[in-house]
Short mmCIF file of all heavy atoms in Angstrom, two decimals:
data_model
loop_
_atom_site.label_atom_id
_atom_site.label_comp_id
_atom_site.label_asym_id
_atom_site.label_seq_id
_atom_site.Cartn_x
_atom_site.Cartn_y
_atom_site.Cartn_z
N GLY A 68 -15.59 2.00 30.82
CA GLY A 68 -16.06 0.76 30.26
C GLY A 68 -15.99 -0.45 31.22
O GLY A 68 -16.73 -1.39 31.04
N GLY A 69 -15.17 -0.39 32.23
CA GLY A 69 -15.15 -1.40 33.26
C GLY A 69 -14.67 -2.75 32.80
O GLY A 69 -14.71 -3.72 33.57
N GLY A 70 -14.19 -2.93 31.63
CA GLY A 70 -13.70 -4.18 31.14
C GLY A 70 -14.86 -5.08 30.61
O GLY A 70 -15.98 -4.91 31.01
N GLY A 71 -14.59 -5.91 29.67
CA GLY A 71 -15.54 -6.85 29.19
C GLY A 71 -16.51 -6.27 28.19
O GLY A 71 -17.39 -6.97 27.73
N VAL A 72 -16.34 -5.01 27.79
CA VAL A 72 -17.20 -4.40 26.77
C VAL A 72 -16.55 -4.64 25.42
O VAL A 72 -15.39 -4.39 25.24
CB VAL A 72 -17.36 -2.86 27.03
CG1 VAL A 72 -18.22 -2.25 25.94
CG2 VAL A 72 -17.99 -2.62 28.36
N PHE A 73 -17.30 -5.24 24.48
CA PHE A 73 -16.72 -5.55 23.17
C PHE A 73 -17.77 -5.47 22.10
O PHE A 73 -18.93 -5.60 22.30
CB PHE A 73 -16.02 -6.89 23.21
CG PHE A 73 -16.95 -8.02 23.44
CD1 PHE A 73 -17.51 -8.73 22.36
CD2 PHE A 73 -17.24 -8.44 24.75
CE1 PHE A 73 -18.42 -9.80 22.59
CE2 PHE A 73 -18.11 -9.55 24.96
CZ PHE A 73 -18.69 -10.22 23.90
N VAL A 74 -17.22 -5.21 20.88
CA VAL A 74 -17.99 -5.29 19.63
C VAL A 74 -17.24 -6.23 18.77
O VAL A 74 -15.98 -6.03 18.60
CB VAL A 74 -18.16 -3.92 18.96
CG1 VAL A 74 -18.89 -4.02 17.63
CG2 VAL A 74 -18.84 -2.91 19.86
N THR A 75 -17.90 -7.22 18.15
CA THR A 75 -17.14 -8.24 17.40
C THR A 75 -17.96 -8.78 16.25
O THR A 75 -19.19 -8.70 16.28
CB THR A 75 -16.70 -9.39 18.34
OG1 THR A 75 -15.91 -10.26 17.59
CG2 THR A 75 -17.89 -10.09 18.94
N THR A 76 -17.23 -9.33 15.32
CA THR A 76 -17.86 -10.04 14.24
C THR A 76 -17.63 -11.56 14.37
O THR A 76 -18.02 -12.32 13.50
CB THR A 76 -17.25 -9.62 12.85
OG1 THR A 76 -15.87 -10.06 12.79
CG2 THR A 76 -17.38 -8.10 12.69
N TYR A 77 -17.07 -11.96 15.49
CA TYR A 77 -16.87 -13.42 15.72
C TYR A 77 -18.16 -14.18 15.66
O TYR A 77 -19.17 -13.60 16.06
CB TYR A 77 -16.19 -13.65 17.05
CG TYR A 77 -14.76 -13.23 17.19
CD1 TYR A 77 -14.19 -12.93 18.40
CD2 TYR A 77 -13.87 -13.20 16.08
CE1 TYR A 77 -12.85 -12.55 18.58
CE2 TYR A 77 -12.52 -12.84 16.19
CZ TYR A 77 -12.02 -12.50 17.46
OH TYR A 77 -10.76 -12.12 17.56
N PRO A 78 -18.13 -15.47 15.29
CA PRO A 78 -19.34 -16.28 15.32
C PRO A 78 -19.94 -16.35 16.74
O PRO A 78 -19.13 -16.42 17.67
CB PRO A 78 -18.90 -17.57 14.82
CG PRO A 78 -17.57 -17.41 14.14
CD PRO A 78 -16.94 -16.20 14.81
N VAL A 79 -21.19 -16.33 16.85
CA VAL A 79 -21.87 -16.39 18.14
C VAL A 79 -21.41 -17.70 18.85
O VAL A 79 -21.26 -17.67 20.08
CB VAL A 79 -23.35 -16.37 17.99
CG1 VAL A 79 -24.12 -16.70 19.30
CG2 VAL A 79 -23.82 -15.01 17.45
N THR A 80 -21.20 -18.75 18.10
CA THR A 80 -20.81 -20.02 18.75
C THR A 80 -19.46 -19.85 19.49
O THR A 80 -19.24 -20.42 20.52
CB THR A 80 -20.69 -21.20 17.74
OG1 THR A 80 -19.87 -20.78 16.65
CG2 THR A 80 -22.10 -21.55 17.21
N TRP A 81 -18.57 -19.06 18.88
CA TRP A 81 -17.23 -18.81 19.52
C TRP A 81 -17.40 -17.90 20.74
O TRP A 81 -16.82 -18.20 21.74
CB TRP A 81 -16.26 -18.23 18.53
CG TRP A 81 -14.95 -17.78 19.27
CD1 TRP A 81 -14.49 -16.54 19.33
CD2 TRP A 81 -14.08 -18.60 20.00
NE1 TRP A 81 -13.34 -16.51 20.08
CE2 TRP A 81 -13.07 -17.79 20.50
CE3 TRP A 81 -14.03 -19.97 20.27
CZ2 TRP A 81 -12.03 -18.23 21.28
CZ3 TRP A 81 -12.98 -20.45 21.05
CH2 TRP A 81 -11.98 -19.57 21.53
N ILE A 82 -18.22 -16.92 20.64
CA ILE A 82 -18.43 -16.01 21.80
C ILE A 82 -18.98 -16.82 22.98
O ILE A 82 -18.52 -16.69 24.08
CB ILE A 82 -19.34 -14.87 21.44
CG1 ILE A 82 -18.71 -13.97 20.35
CG2 ILE A 82 -19.68 -14.00 22.63
CD1 ILE A 82 -19.62 -12.97 19.68
N GLU A 83 -19.99 -17.63 22.73
CA GLU A 83 -20.58 -18.49 23.75
C GLU A 83 -19.55 -19.41 24.37
O GLU A 83 -19.47 -19.54 25.59
CB GLU A 83 -21.78 -19.24 23.20
CG GLU A 83 -22.96 -18.34 22.90
CD GLU A 83 -24.10 -19.05 22.17
OE1 GLU A 83 -23.94 -20.24 21.72
OE2 GLU A 83 -25.17 -18.44 22.03
N ARG A 84 -18.76 -20.06 23.51
CA ARG A 84 -17.75 -21.02 23.98
C ARG A 84 -16.69 -20.26 24.82
O ARG A 84 -16.24 -20.79 25.84
CB ARG A 84 -17.11 -21.71 22.79
CG ARG A 84 -16.02 -22.66 23.21
CD ARG A 84 -16.11 -23.96 22.38
NE ARG A 84 -15.07 -24.86 22.81
CZ ARG A 84 -15.18 -25.76 23.80
NH1 ARG A 84 -16.31 -25.84 24.49
NH2 ARG A 84 -14.18 -26.56 24.10
N TYR A 85 -16.26 -19.09 24.30
CA TYR A 85 -15.23 -18.29 25.02
C TYR A 85 -15.73 -18.00 26.47
O TYR A 85 -14.93 -18.16 27.41
CB TYR A 85 -15.07 -17.00 24.22
CG TYR A 85 -13.97 -16.13 24.69
CD1 TYR A 85 -12.67 -16.17 24.15
CD2 TYR A 85 -14.16 -15.17 25.75
CE1 TYR A 85 -11.66 -15.32 24.57
CE2 TYR A 85 -13.16 -14.36 26.16
CZ TYR A 85 -11.94 -14.40 25.58
OH TYR A 85 -10.87 -13.59 26.04
N LEU A 86 -16.96 -17.57 26.58
CA LEU A 86 -17.52 -17.26 27.91
C LEU A 86 -17.69 -18.52 28.76
O LEU A 86 -17.35 -18.52 29.96
CB LEU A 86 -18.84 -16.50 27.73
CG LEU A 86 -18.69 -15.11 27.03
CD1 LEU A 86 -20.06 -14.49 26.79
CD2 LEU A 86 -17.82 -14.18 27.90
N GLU A 87 -18.27 -19.56 28.15
CA GLU A 87 -18.43 -20.81 28.91
C GLU A 87 -17.13 -21.37 29.46
O GLU A 87 -17.10 -21.89 30.56
CB GLU A 87 -19.11 -21.86 28.02
CG GLU A 87 -20.56 -21.62 27.71
CD GLU A 87 -21.10 -22.53 26.60
OE1 GLU A 87 -20.33 -23.41 26.06
OE2 GLU A 87 -22.22 -22.32 26.20
N GLN A 88 -16.07 -21.32 28.63
CA GLN A 88 -14.79 -21.91 29.04
C GLN A 88 -13.94 -20.91 29.89
O GLN A 88 -12.81 -21.26 30.22
CB GLN A 88 -14.03 -22.30 27.78
CG GLN A 88 -14.67 -23.46 26.96
CD GLN A 88 -14.75 -24.73 27.74
OE1 GLN A 88 -13.79 -25.13 28.35
NE2 GLN A 88 -15.88 -25.31 27.69
N ASN A 89 -14.47 -19.75 30.13
CA ASN A 89 -13.71 -18.76 30.88
C ASN A 89 -12.41 -18.40 30.23
O ASN A 89 -11.36 -18.27 30.90
CB ASN A 89 -13.54 -19.17 32.35
CG ASN A 89 -13.12 -18.05 33.22
OD1 ASN A 89 -13.52 -16.90 33.09
ND2 ASN A 89 -12.33 -18.34 34.25
N TYR A 90 -12.39 -18.35 28.91
CA TYR A 90 -11.14 -18.13 28.18
C TYR A 90 -10.48 -16.73 28.46
O TYR A 90 -9.30 -16.58 28.19
CB TYR A 90 -11.38 -18.31 26.66
CG TYR A 90 -11.31 -19.73 26.22
CD1 TYR A 90 -12.11 -20.16 25.17
CD2 TYR A 90 -10.41 -20.65 26.76
CE1 TYR A 90 -12.05 -21.45 24.69
CE2 TYR A 90 -10.39 -21.96 26.31
CZ TYR A 90 -11.16 -22.36 25.26
OH TYR A 90 -11.11 -23.64 24.77
N GLN A 91 -11.27 -15.82 28.94
CA GLN A 91 -10.67 -14.51 29.24
C GLN A 91 -9.55 -14.66 30.31
O GLN A 91 -8.63 -13.84 30.33
CB GLN A 91 -11.72 -13.47 29.66
CG GLN A 91 -12.48 -13.81 30.98
CD GLN A 91 -13.69 -14.64 30.77
OE1 GLN A 91 -13.87 -15.28 29.73
NE2 GLN A 91 -14.60 -14.61 31.73
N ALA A 92 -9.57 -15.74 31.07
CA ALA A 92 -8.53 -15.97 32.05
C ALA A 92 -7.23 -16.45 31.44
O ALA A 92 -6.18 -16.35 32.08
CB ALA A 92 -9.04 -17.01 33.09
N VAL A 93 -7.26 -17.03 30.22
CA VAL A 93 -6.07 -17.55 29.59
C VAL A 93 -5.78 -16.85 28.21
O VAL A 93 -4.74 -17.15 27.61
CB VAL A 93 -6.13 -19.07 29.36
CG1 VAL A 93 -6.16 -19.80 30.70
CG2 VAL A 93 -7.18 -19.47 28.42
N ASP A 94 -6.65 -15.99 27.79
CA ASP A 94 -6.54 -15.39 26.43
C ASP A 94 -5.20 -14.54 26.40
O ASP A 94 -5.13 -13.51 27.03
CB ASP A 94 -7.74 -14.50 26.17
CG ASP A 94 -7.79 -13.92 24.76
OD1 ASP A 94 -6.70 -13.88 24.12
OD2 ASP A 94 -8.84 -13.52 24.34
N PRO A 95 -4.25 -14.99 25.63
CA PRO A 95 -2.96 -14.31 25.57
C PRO A 95 -3.06 -12.93 24.83
O PRO A 95 -2.22 -12.07 25.07
CB PRO A 95 -2.03 -15.28 24.89
CG PRO A 95 -2.95 -16.05 23.99
CD PRO A 95 -4.23 -16.19 24.74
N VAL A 96 -4.08 -12.78 24.01
CA VAL A 96 -4.24 -11.52 23.32
C VAL A 96 -4.60 -10.43 24.33
O VAL A 96 -4.05 -9.31 24.30
CB VAL A 96 -5.34 -11.61 22.22
CG1 VAL A 96 -5.62 -10.26 21.61
CG2 VAL A 96 -4.91 -12.60 21.18
N LEU A 97 -5.49 -10.73 25.30
CA LEU A 97 -5.89 -9.73 26.30
C LEU A 97 -4.65 -9.49 27.22
O LEU A 97 -4.40 -8.35 27.56
CB LEU A 97 -7.05 -10.24 27.11
CG LEU A 97 -8.36 -10.35 26.39
CD1 LEU A 97 -9.47 -10.86 27.35
CD2 LEU A 97 -8.79 -9.06 25.71
N THR A 98 -3.98 -10.54 27.61
CA THR A 98 -2.79 -10.36 28.47
C THR A 98 -1.76 -9.48 27.79
O THR A 98 -1.22 -8.51 28.44
CB THR A 98 -2.17 -11.74 28.79
OG1 THR A 98 -3.17 -12.56 29.42
CG2 THR A 98 -0.93 -11.56 29.69
N GLU A 99 -1.44 -9.72 26.56
CA GLU A 99 -0.45 -8.97 25.84
C GLU A 99 -0.94 -7.50 25.59
O GLU A 99 -0.19 -6.53 25.75
CB GLU A 99 -0.11 -9.59 24.51
CG GLU A 99 1.04 -8.95 23.76
CD GLU A 99 2.41 -9.07 24.45
OE1 GLU A 99 2.57 -9.96 25.34
OE2 GLU A 99 3.29 -8.25 24.15
N ALA A 100 -2.19 -7.33 25.27
CA ALA A 100 -2.77 -6.03 24.98
C ALA A 100 -2.74 -5.07 26.22
O ALA A 100 -2.63 -3.88 26.09
CB ALA A 100 -4.17 -6.13 24.44
N ARG A 101 -2.83 -5.71 27.41
CA ARG A 101 -2.79 -4.90 28.63
C ARG A 101 -1.40 -4.24 28.85
O ARG A 101 -1.33 -3.21 29.46
CB ARG A 101 -3.17 -5.74 29.84
CG ARG A 101 -4.62 -6.03 29.94
CD ARG A 101 -5.00 -6.74 31.23
NE ARG A 101 -6.44 -6.97 31.27
CZ ARG A 101 -7.03 -8.07 30.90
NH1 ARG A 101 -6.30 -9.13 30.49
NH2 ARG A 101 -8.34 -8.22 30.95
N ARG A 102 -0.36 -4.94 28.38
CA ARG A 102 0.97 -4.36 28.62
C ARG A 102 1.64 -3.77 27.36
O ARG A 102 2.54 -3.01 27.47
CB ARG A 102 1.85 -5.44 29.27
CG ARG A 102 2.15 -6.63 28.41
CD ARG A 102 3.13 -7.56 29.11
NE ARG A 102 3.11 -8.83 28.44
CZ ARG A 102 2.85 -9.96 29.00
NH1 ARG A 102 2.58 -10.03 30.28
NH2 ARG A 102 2.84 -11.07 28.30
N ALA A 103 1.16 -4.16 26.21
CA ALA A 103 1.78 -3.66 25.01
C ALA A 103 1.39 -2.24 24.64
O ALA A 103 0.32 -1.78 25.01
CB ALA A 103 1.40 -4.58 23.78
N VAL A 104 2.29 -1.57 23.95
CA VAL A 104 1.98 -0.22 23.47
C VAL A 104 2.06 -0.12 21.93
O VAL A 104 1.75 0.89 21.39
CB VAL A 104 2.86 0.84 24.14
CG1 VAL A 104 2.55 0.97 25.63
CG2 VAL A 104 4.38 0.54 23.90
N VAL A 105 2.55 -1.19 21.34
CA VAL A 105 2.61 -1.27 19.89
C VAL A 105 1.84 -2.48 19.34
O VAL A 105 1.69 -3.42 20.12
CB VAL A 105 4.10 -1.28 19.38
CG1 VAL A 105 4.86 -0.02 19.75
CG2 VAL A 105 4.83 -2.55 19.94
N PRO A 106 1.44 -2.48 18.11
CA PRO A 106 0.72 -3.66 17.58
C PRO A 106 1.54 -4.91 17.65
O PRO A 106 2.80 -4.88 17.63
CB PRO A 106 0.53 -3.25 16.14
CG PRO A 106 0.57 -1.75 16.09
CD PRO A 106 1.60 -1.41 17.16
N PHE A 107 0.82 -6.03 17.82
CA PHE A 107 1.50 -7.31 17.90
C PHE A 107 0.74 -8.39 17.12
O PHE A 107 -0.48 -8.39 17.06
CB PHE A 107 1.73 -7.73 19.39
CG PHE A 107 0.47 -7.88 20.18
CD1 PHE A 107 -0.23 -9.08 20.27
CD2 PHE A 107 -0.01 -6.76 20.82
CE1 PHE A 107 -1.39 -9.18 21.03
CE2 PHE A 107 -1.18 -6.83 21.57
CZ PHE A 107 -1.89 -8.08 21.68
N ASP A 108 1.53 -9.29 16.53
CA ASP A 108 0.95 -10.42 15.79
C ASP A 108 0.77 -11.56 16.71
O ASP A 108 1.54 -11.79 17.67
CB ASP A 108 1.98 -10.82 14.69
CG ASP A 108 1.33 -11.75 13.70
OD1 ASP A 108 1.30 -12.98 14.01
OD2 ASP A 108 0.96 -11.31 12.61
N TRP A 109 -0.29 -12.30 16.49
CA TRP A 109 -0.61 -13.40 17.42
C TRP A 109 0.32 -14.60 17.31
O TRP A 109 0.38 -15.41 18.17
CB TRP A 109 -2.08 -13.87 17.15
CG TRP A 109 -3.07 -12.88 17.51
CD1 TRP A 109 -2.93 -11.56 17.91
CD2 TRP A 109 -4.48 -13.10 17.39
NE1 TRP A 109 -4.15 -10.99 18.08
CE2 TRP A 109 -5.12 -11.89 17.76
CE3 TRP A 109 -5.26 -14.14 17.01
CZ2 TRP A 109 -6.49 -11.70 17.81
CZ3 TRP A 109 -6.64 -14.03 17.01
CH2 TRP A 109 -7.20 -12.79 17.42
N SER A 110 1.08 -14.68 16.19
CA SER A 110 1.96 -15.84 16.07
C SER A 110 2.98 -15.99 17.18
O SER A 110 3.37 -17.07 17.54
CB SER A 110 2.67 -15.81 14.69
OG SER A 110 3.56 -14.65 14.67
N GLY A 111 3.35 -14.85 17.78
CA GLY A 111 4.31 -14.93 18.89
C GLY A 111 3.66 -15.30 20.22
O GLY A 111 4.39 -15.42 21.23
N LEU A 112 2.37 -15.49 20.23
CA LEU A 112 1.65 -15.78 21.46
C LEU A 112 1.34 -17.29 21.67
O LEU A 112 1.00 -17.72 22.73
CB LEU A 112 0.35 -15.00 21.56
CG LEU A 112 0.41 -13.51 21.36
CD1 LEU A 112 -1.01 -12.92 21.36
CD2 LEU A 112 1.23 -12.88 22.42
N GLN A 113 1.45 -18.07 20.56
CA GLN A 113 0.96 -19.42 20.55
C GLN A 113 1.75 -20.40 21.30
O GLN A 113 1.29 -21.51 21.67
CB GLN A 113 0.73 -19.80 19.06
CG GLN A 113 -0.29 -19.02 18.43
CD GLN A 113 -0.29 -19.27 16.90
OE1 GLN A 113 0.15 -20.29 16.47
NE2 GLN A 113 -0.95 -18.36 16.17
#
Side-chain angles (χ1 to χ4, degrees):
V72 177
F73 62 93
V74 177
T75 185
T76 66
Y77 289 153
V79 171
T80 54
W81 171 243
I82 297 167
E83 290 171 351
R84 179 139 179 88
Y85 186 96
L86 296 172
E87 288 168 4
Q88 296 296 314
N89 194 34
Y90 276 147
Q91 63 272 20
V93 297
D94 185 341
V96 175
L97 294 180
T98 301
E99 187 67 19
R101 284 186 180 97
R102 65 176 165 237
V104 293
V105 296
F107 58 92
D108 192 280
W109 295 3
S110 63
L112 306 176
Q113 296 171 18

